[in-house]
PDB file of all heavy atoms in Angstrom:
ATOM      1  N   GLY A 223     -21.422 110.172 -14.188  1.00 85.00           N
ATOM      2  CA  GLY A 223     -21.083 111.586 -14.164  1.00 85.00           C
ATOM      3  C   GLY A 223     -21.877 112.389 -13.166  1.00 85.00           C
ATOM      4  O   GLY A 223     -23.031 112.074 -12.856  1.00 85.00           O
ATOM      5  N   ALA A 224     -21.211 113.429 -12.612  1.00 85.00           N
ATOM      6  CA  ALA A 224     -21.852 114.404 -11.712  1.00 85.00           C
ATOM      7  C   ALA A 224     -22.516 113.748 -10.514  1.00 85.00           C
ATOM      8  O   ALA A 224     -23.622 114.115 -10.118  1.00 85.00           O
ATOM      9  CB  ALA A 224     -22.853 115.252 -12.490  1.00 85.00           C
ATOM     10  N   ALA A 225     -21.824 112.763  -9.914  1.00 87.00           N
ATOM     11  CA  ALA A 225     -22.319 112.069  -8.716  1.00 87.00           C
ATOM     12  C   ALA A 225     -23.708 111.472  -8.930  1.00 87.00           C
ATOM     13  O   ALA A 225     -24.535 111.426  -8.023  1.00 87.00           O
ATOM     14  CB  ALA A 225     -22.328 113.010  -7.511  1.00 87.00           C
ATOM     15  N   GLY A 226     -23.962 111.020 -10.154  1.00 91.00           N
ATOM     16  CA  GLY A 226     -25.238 110.372 -10.454  1.00 91.00           C
ATOM     17  C   GLY A 226     -26.288 111.300 -11.028  1.00 91.00           C
ATOM     18  O   GLY A 226     -27.349 110.849 -11.453  1.00 91.00           O
ATOM     19  N   ALA A 227     -26.007 112.618 -11.072  1.00 92.00           N
ATOM     20  CA  ALA A 227     -27.016 113.580 -11.523  1.00 92.00           C
ATOM     21  C   ALA A 227     -27.358 113.412 -13.001  1.00 92.00           C
ATOM     22  O   ALA A 227     -28.503 113.640 -13.405  1.00 92.00           O
ATOM     23  CB  ALA A 227     -26.541 115.004 -11.256  1.00 92.00           C
ATOM     24  N   ILE A 228     -26.396 112.986 -13.814  1.00 93.00           N
ATOM     25  CA  ILE A 228     -26.663 112.786 -15.247  1.00 93.00           C
ATOM     26  C   ILE A 228     -27.620 111.611 -15.440  1.00 93.00           C
ATOM     27  O   ILE A 228     -28.594 111.688 -16.196  1.00 93.00           O
ATOM     28  CB  ILE A 228     -25.347 112.568 -16.023  1.00 93.00           C
ATOM     29  CG1 ILE A 228     -24.513 113.861 -16.001  1.00 93.00           C
ATOM     30  CG2 ILE A 228     -25.619 112.135 -17.463  1.00 93.00           C
ATOM     31  CD1 ILE A 228     -23.127 113.727 -16.596  1.00 93.00           C
ATOM     32  N   GLY A 229     -27.348 110.510 -14.723  1.00 96.00           N
ATOM     33  CA  GLY A 229     -28.249 109.361 -14.782  1.00 96.00           C
ATOM     34  C   GLY A 229     -29.616 109.678 -14.208  1.00 96.00           C
ATOM     35  O   GLY A 229     -30.642 109.257 -14.745  1.00 96.00           O
ATOM     36  N   LEU A 230     -29.636 110.446 -13.108  1.00 97.00           N
ATOM     37  CA  LEU A 230     -30.900 110.844 -12.486  1.00 97.00           C
ATOM     38  C   LEU A 230     -31.738 111.664 -13.461  1.00 97.00           C
ATOM     39  O   LEU A 230     -32.948 111.437 -13.588  1.00 97.00           O
ATOM     40  CB  LEU A 230     -30.627 111.655 -11.210  1.00 97.00           C
ATOM     41  CG  LEU A 230     -31.842 112.315 -10.540  1.00 97.00           C
ATOM     42  CD1 LEU A 230     -32.841 111.270 -10.064  1.00 97.00           C
ATOM     43  CD2 LEU A 230     -31.394 113.193  -9.364  1.00 97.00           C
ATOM     44  N   ALA A 231     -31.096 112.605 -14.168  1.00 96.00           N
ATOM     45  CA  ALA A 231     -31.825 113.443 -15.133  1.00 96.00           C
ATOM     46  C   ALA A 231     -32.441 112.595 -16.238  1.00 96.00           C
ATOM     47  O   ALA A 231     -33.614 112.781 -16.604  1.00 96.00           O
ATOM     48  CB  ALA A 231     -30.885 114.484 -15.735  1.00 96.00           C
ATOM     49  N   GLN A 232     -31.674 111.645 -16.752  1.00 97.00           N
ATOM     50  CA  GLN A 232     -32.210 110.769 -17.804  1.00 97.00           C
ATOM     51  C   GLN A 232     -33.365 109.936 -17.267  1.00 97.00           C
ATOM     52  O   GLN A 232     -34.389 109.760 -17.933  1.00 97.00           O
ATOM     53  CB  GLN A 232     -31.116 109.857 -18.353  1.00 97.00           C
ATOM     54  CG  GLN A 232     -31.628 108.904 -19.443  1.00 97.00           C
ATOM     55  CD  GLN A 232     -30.519 108.105 -20.089  1.00 97.00           C
ATOM     56  OE1 GLN A 232     -29.507 108.651 -20.522  1.00 97.00           O
ATOM     57  NE2 GLN A 232     -30.698 106.788 -20.162  1.00 97.00           N
ATOM     58  N   PHE A 233     -33.204 109.425 -16.057  1.00 98.00           N
ATOM     59  CA  PHE A 233     -34.224 108.582 -15.434  1.00 98.00           C
ATOM     60  C   PHE A 233     -35.521 109.359 -15.238  1.00 98.00           C
ATOM     61  O   PHE A 233     -36.614 108.897 -15.602  1.00 98.00           O
ATOM     62  CB  PHE A 233     -33.703 108.062 -14.099  1.00 98.00           C
ATOM     63  CG  PHE A 233     -34.610 107.088 -13.398  1.00 98.00           C
ATOM     64  CD1 PHE A 233     -34.734 105.782 -13.857  1.00 98.00           C
ATOM     65  CD2 PHE A 233     -35.339 107.466 -12.274  1.00 98.00           C
ATOM     66  CE1 PHE A 233     -35.565 104.863 -13.218  1.00 98.00           C
ATOM     67  CE2 PHE A 233     -36.168 106.560 -11.624  1.00 98.00           C
ATOM     68  CZ  PHE A 233     -36.286 105.261 -12.097  1.00 98.00           C
ATOM     69  N   VAL A 234     -35.408 110.562 -14.684  1.00 97.00           N
ATOM     70  CA  VAL A 234     -36.585 111.389 -14.417  1.00 97.00           C
ATOM     71  C   VAL A 234     -37.295 111.783 -15.708  1.00 97.00           C
ATOM     72  O   VAL A 234     -38.531 111.748 -15.795  1.00 97.00           O
ATOM     73  CB  VAL A 234     -36.175 112.652 -13.611  1.00 97.00           C
ATOM     74  CG1 VAL A 234     -37.276 113.704 -13.626  1.00 97.00           C
ATOM     75  CG2 VAL A 234     -35.832 112.271 -12.169  1.00 97.00           C
ATOM     76  N   ASN A 235     -36.502 112.129 -16.723  1.00 96.00           N
ATOM     77  CA  ASN A 235     -37.094 112.635 -17.967  1.00 96.00           C
ATOM     78  C   ASN A 235     -37.619 111.554 -18.912  1.00 96.00           C
ATOM     79  O   ASN A 235     -38.535 111.811 -19.698  1.00 96.00           O
ATOM     80  CB  ASN A 235     -36.074 113.505 -18.711  1.00 96.00           C
ATOM     81  CG  ASN A 235     -35.757 114.779 -17.943  1.00 96.00           C
ATOM     82  OD1 ASN A 235     -36.614 115.348 -17.291  1.00 96.00           O
ATOM     83  ND2 ASN A 235     -34.506 115.220 -18.006  1.00 96.00           N
ATOM     84  N   SER A 236     -37.050 110.342 -18.836  1.00 96.00           N
ATOM     85  CA  SER A 236     -37.446 109.322 -19.820  1.00 96.00           C
ATOM     86  C   SER A 236     -38.264 108.168 -19.238  1.00 96.00           C
ATOM     87  O   SER A 236     -38.739 107.322 -19.991  1.00 96.00           O
ATOM     88  CB  SER A 236     -36.198 108.748 -20.505  1.00 96.00           C
ATOM     89  OG  SER A 236     -35.405 108.032 -19.569  1.00 96.00           O
ATOM     90  N   SER A 237     -38.429 108.134 -17.926  1.00 97.00           N
ATOM     91  CA  SER A 237     -39.111 106.976 -17.318  1.00 97.00           C
ATOM     92  C   SER A 237     -40.449 107.313 -16.681  1.00 97.00           C
ATOM     93  O   SER A 237     -41.010 106.494 -15.949  1.00 97.00           O
ATOM     94  CB  SER A 237     -38.205 106.339 -16.254  1.00 97.00           C
ATOM     95  OG  SER A 237     -37.001 105.897 -16.823  1.00 97.00           O
ATOM     96  N   LYS A 238     -40.954 108.500 -16.906  1.00 96.00           N
ATOM     97  CA  LYS A 238     -42.200 108.919 -16.259  1.00 96.00           C
ATOM     98  C   LYS A 238     -43.299 107.871 -16.412  1.00 96.00           C
ATOM     99  O   LYS A 238     -43.611 107.447 -17.522  1.00 96.00           O
ATOM    100  CB  LYS A 238     -42.688 110.243 -16.849  1.00 96.00           C
ATOM    101  CG  LYS A 238     -41.886 111.458 -16.423  1.00 96.00           C
ATOM    102  CD  LYS A 238     -42.553 112.749 -16.893  1.00 96.00           C
ATOM    103  CE  LYS A 238     -41.775 113.965 -16.438  1.00 96.00           C
ATOM    104  NZ  LYS A 238     -40.580 114.234 -17.234  1.00 96.00           N
ATOM    105  N   GLY A 239     -43.863 107.471 -15.282  1.00 97.00           N
ATOM    106  CA  GLY A 239     -44.987 106.542 -15.298  1.00 97.00           C
ATOM    107  C   GLY A 239     -44.636 105.101 -15.623  1.00 97.00           C
ATOM    108  O   GLY A 239     -45.532 104.255 -15.715  1.00 97.00           O
ATOM    109  N   ASP A 240     -43.335 104.788 -15.772  1.00 97.00           N
ATOM    110  CA  ASP A 240     -42.930 103.418 -16.110  1.00 97.00           C
ATOM    111  C   ASP A 240     -42.870 102.569 -14.845  1.00 97.00           C
ATOM    112  O   ASP A 240     -42.005 102.775 -13.993  1.00 97.00           O
ATOM    113  CB  ASP A 240     -41.554 103.446 -16.787  1.00 97.00           C
ATOM    114  CG  ASP A 240     -41.142 102.077 -17.330  1.00 97.00           C
ATOM    115  OD1 ASP A 240     -41.713 101.056 -16.890  1.00 97.00           O
ATOM    116  OD2 ASP A 240     -40.231 102.033 -18.182  1.00 97.00           O
ATOM    117  N   PRO A 241     -43.767 101.581 -14.678  1.00 96.00           N
ATOM    118  CA  PRO A 241     -43.813 100.782 -13.449  1.00 96.00           C
ATOM    119  C   PRO A 241     -42.715  99.723 -13.350  1.00 96.00           C
ATOM    120  O   PRO A 241     -42.635  99.014 -12.359  1.00 96.00           O
ATOM    121  CB  PRO A 241     -45.195 100.133 -13.520  1.00 96.00           C
ATOM    122  CG  PRO A 241     -45.437  99.959 -14.982  1.00 96.00           C
ATOM    123  CD  PRO A 241     -44.808 101.162 -15.634  1.00 96.00           C
ATOM    124  N   ASN A 242     -41.876  99.616 -14.394  1.00 97.00           N
ATOM    125  CA  ASN A 242     -40.819  98.603 -14.386  1.00 97.00           C
ATOM    126  C   ASN A 242     -39.412  99.211 -14.314  1.00 97.00           C
ATOM    127  O   ASN A 242     -38.424  98.501 -14.466  1.00 97.00           O
ATOM    128  CB  ASN A 242     -40.912  97.731 -15.640  1.00 97.00           C
ATOM    129  CG  ASN A 242     -42.233  96.983 -15.702  1.00 97.00           C
ATOM    130  OD1 ASN A 242     -42.697  96.463 -14.699  1.00 97.00           O
ATOM    131  ND2 ASN A 242     -42.848  96.953 -16.870  1.00 97.00           N
ATOM    132  N   ALA A 243     -39.330 100.521 -14.091  1.00 98.00           N
ATOM    133  CA  ALA A 243     -38.033 101.202 -14.063  1.00 98.00           C
ATOM    134  C   ALA A 243     -37.536 101.379 -12.630  1.00 98.00           C
ATOM    135  O   ALA A 243     -38.291 101.764 -11.744  1.00 98.00           O
ATOM    136  CB  ALA A 243     -38.148 102.562 -14.744  1.00 98.00           C
ATOM    137  N   LEU A 244     -36.258 101.078 -12.426  1.00 98.00           N
ATOM    138  CA  LEU A 244     -35.616 101.277 -11.126  1.00 98.00           C
ATOM    139  C   LEU A 244     -34.296 102.013 -11.335  1.00 98.00           C
ATOM    140  O   LEU A 244     -33.671 101.879 -12.391  1.00 98.00           O
ATOM    141  CB  LEU A 244     -35.337  99.938 -10.436  1.00 98.00           C
ATOM    142  CG  LEU A 244     -36.513  99.169  -9.845  1.00 98.00           C
ATOM    143  CD1 LEU A 244     -36.051  97.793  -9.362  1.00 98.00           C
ATOM    144  CD2 LEU A 244     -37.160  99.938  -8.697  1.00 98.00           C
ATOM    145  N   MET A 245     -33.871 102.760 -10.332  1.00 98.00           N
ATOM    146  CA  MET A 245     -32.580 103.442 -10.383  1.00 98.00           C
ATOM    147  C   MET A 245     -31.851 103.244  -9.059  1.00 98.00           C
ATOM    148  O   MET A 245     -32.422 103.453  -7.988  1.00 98.00           O
ATOM    149  CB  MET A 245     -32.769 104.945 -10.620  1.00 98.00           C
ATOM    150  CG  MET A 245     -31.458 105.729 -10.618  1.00 98.00           C
ATOM    151  SD  MET A 245     -31.708 107.529 -10.630  1.00 98.00           S
ATOM    152  CE  MET A 245     -32.342 107.803  -8.959  1.00 98.00           C
ATOM    153  N   VAL A 246     -30.591 102.849  -9.148  1.00 98.00           N
ATOM    154  CA  VAL A 246     -29.758 102.726  -7.953  1.00 98.00           C
ATOM    155  C   VAL A 246     -29.294 104.127  -7.542  1.00 98.00           C
ATOM    156  O   VAL A 246     -28.979 104.961  -8.402  1.00 98.00           O
ATOM    157  CB  VAL A 246     -28.542 101.814  -8.225  1.00 98.00           C
ATOM    158  CG1 VAL A 246     -27.640 101.724  -6.999  1.00 98.00           C
ATOM    159  CG2 VAL A 246     -28.999 100.429  -8.637  1.00 98.00           C
ATOM    160  N   MET A 247     -29.262 104.398  -6.248  1.00 97.00           N
ATOM    161  CA  MET A 247     -28.823 105.705  -5.754  1.00 97.00           C
ATOM    162  C   MET A 247     -28.252 105.509  -4.354  1.00 97.00           C
ATOM    163  O   MET A 247     -28.121 104.398  -3.874  1.00 97.00           O
ATOM    164  CB  MET A 247     -29.979 106.707  -5.764  1.00 97.00           C
ATOM    165  CG  MET A 247     -31.273 106.241  -5.113  1.00 97.00           C
ATOM    166  SD  MET A 247     -31.251 106.063  -3.306  1.00 97.00           S
ATOM    167  CE  MET A 247     -31.132 107.803  -2.831  1.00 97.00           C
ATOM    168  N   GLY A 248     -27.880 106.608  -3.713  1.00 95.00           N
ATOM    169  CA  GLY A 248     -27.373 106.491  -2.360  1.00 95.00           C
ATOM    170  C   GLY A 248     -26.823 107.800  -1.831  1.00 95.00           C
ATOM    171  O   GLY A 248     -27.071 108.873  -2.398  1.00 95.00           O
ATOM    172  N   ALA A 249     -26.059 107.716  -0.749  1.00 93.00           N
ATOM    173  CA  ALA A 249     -25.524 108.901  -0.083  1.00 93.00           C
ATOM    174  C   ALA A 249     -24.720 109.779  -1.031  1.00 93.00           C
ATOM    175  O   ALA A 249     -24.756 111.005  -0.947  1.00 93.00           O
ATOM    176  CB  ALA A 249     -24.656 108.472   1.106  1.00 93.00           C
ATOM    177  N   VAL A 250     -23.992 109.155  -1.952  1.00 90.00           N
ATOM    178  CA  VAL A 250     -23.159 109.909  -2.902  1.00 90.00           C
ATOM    179  C   VAL A 250     -24.007 110.844  -3.752  1.00 90.00           C
ATOM    180  O   VAL A 250     -23.608 111.983  -4.038  1.00 90.00           O
ATOM    181  CB  VAL A 250     -22.359 108.943  -3.800  1.00 90.00           C
ATOM    182  CG1 VAL A 250     -21.653 109.692  -4.914  1.00 90.00           C
ATOM    183  CG2 VAL A 250     -21.342 108.168  -2.971  1.00 90.00           C
ATOM    184  N   MET A 251     -25.196 110.385  -4.164  1.00 94.00           N
ATOM    185  CA  MET A 251     -26.061 111.224  -4.993  1.00 94.00           C
ATOM    186  C   MET A 251     -26.528 112.451  -4.210  1.00 94.00           C
ATOM    187  O   MET A 251     -26.599 113.561  -4.765  1.00 94.00           O
ATOM    188  CB  MET A 251     -27.261 110.414  -5.501  1.00 94.00           C
ATOM    189  CG  MET A 251     -28.122 111.189  -6.491  1.00 94.00           C
ATOM    190  SD  MET A 251     -29.428 110.163  -7.226  1.00 94.00           S
ATOM    191  CE  MET A 251     -28.494 109.249  -8.464  1.00 94.00           C
ATOM    192  N   LEU A 252     -26.811 112.283  -2.928  1.00 94.00           N
ATOM    193  CA  LEU A 252     -27.220 113.424  -2.109  1.00 94.00           C
ATOM    194  C   LEU A 252     -26.097 114.452  -2.053  1.00 94.00           C
ATOM    195  O   LEU A 252     -26.324 115.650  -2.204  1.00 94.00           O
ATOM    196  CB  LEU A 252     -27.585 112.975  -0.684  1.00 94.00           C
ATOM    197  CG  LEU A 252     -28.650 111.886  -0.506  1.00 94.00           C
ATOM    198  CD1 LEU A 252     -29.068 111.804   0.954  1.00 94.00           C
ATOM    199  CD2 LEU A 252     -29.855 112.127  -1.382  1.00 94.00           C
ATOM    200  N   GLY A 253     -24.870 113.966  -1.832  1.00 90.00           N
ATOM    201  CA  GLY A 253     -23.717 114.858  -1.783  1.00 90.00           C
ATOM    202  C   GLY A 253     -23.513 115.595  -3.087  1.00 90.00           C
ATOM    203  O   GLY A 253     -23.196 116.789  -3.105  1.00 90.00           O
ATOM    204  N   GLY A 254     -23.713 114.892  -4.205  1.00 88.00           N
ATOM    205  CA  GLY A 254     -23.552 115.499  -5.521  1.00 88.00           C
ATOM    206  C   GLY A 254     -24.597 116.567  -5.793  1.00 88.00           C
ATOM    207  O   GLY A 254     -24.310 117.599  -6.406  1.00 88.00           O
ATOM    208  N   ILE A 255     -25.818 116.319  -5.324  1.00 92.00           N
ATOM    209  CA  ILE A 255     -26.890 117.305  -5.507  1.00 92.00           C
ATOM    210  C   ILE A 255     -26.588 118.563  -4.686  1.00 92.00           C
ATOM    211  O   ILE A 255     -26.797 119.690  -5.143  1.00 92.00           O
ATOM    212  CB  ILE A 255     -28.261 116.698  -5.107  1.00 92.00           C
ATOM    213  CG1 ILE A 255     -28.685 115.653  -6.149  1.00 92.00           C
ATOM    214  CG2 ILE A 255     -29.328 117.773  -4.966  1.00 92.00           C
ATOM    215  CD1 ILE A 255     -29.882 114.812  -5.749  1.00 92.00           C
TER     216      ILE A 255
END
């Protein structure tokens, strides 16, 4: 949803300081932002 912004929000808010967390992103996310 929302060009990845929903996943980004969850990632930013729930993964703080987690050294094993990764998120896929790309040009589409920039456009959505």
Side-chain angles (χ1 to χ4, degrees):
I228 293 173
L230 172 63
Q232 179 174 310
F233 185 74
V234 165
N235 293 325
S236 66
S237 300
K238 286 188 179 78
D240 187 341
N242 298 318
L244 287 173
M245 177 189 71
V246 178
M247 50 70 69
V250 172
M251 186 174 281
L252 305 192
I255 289 170

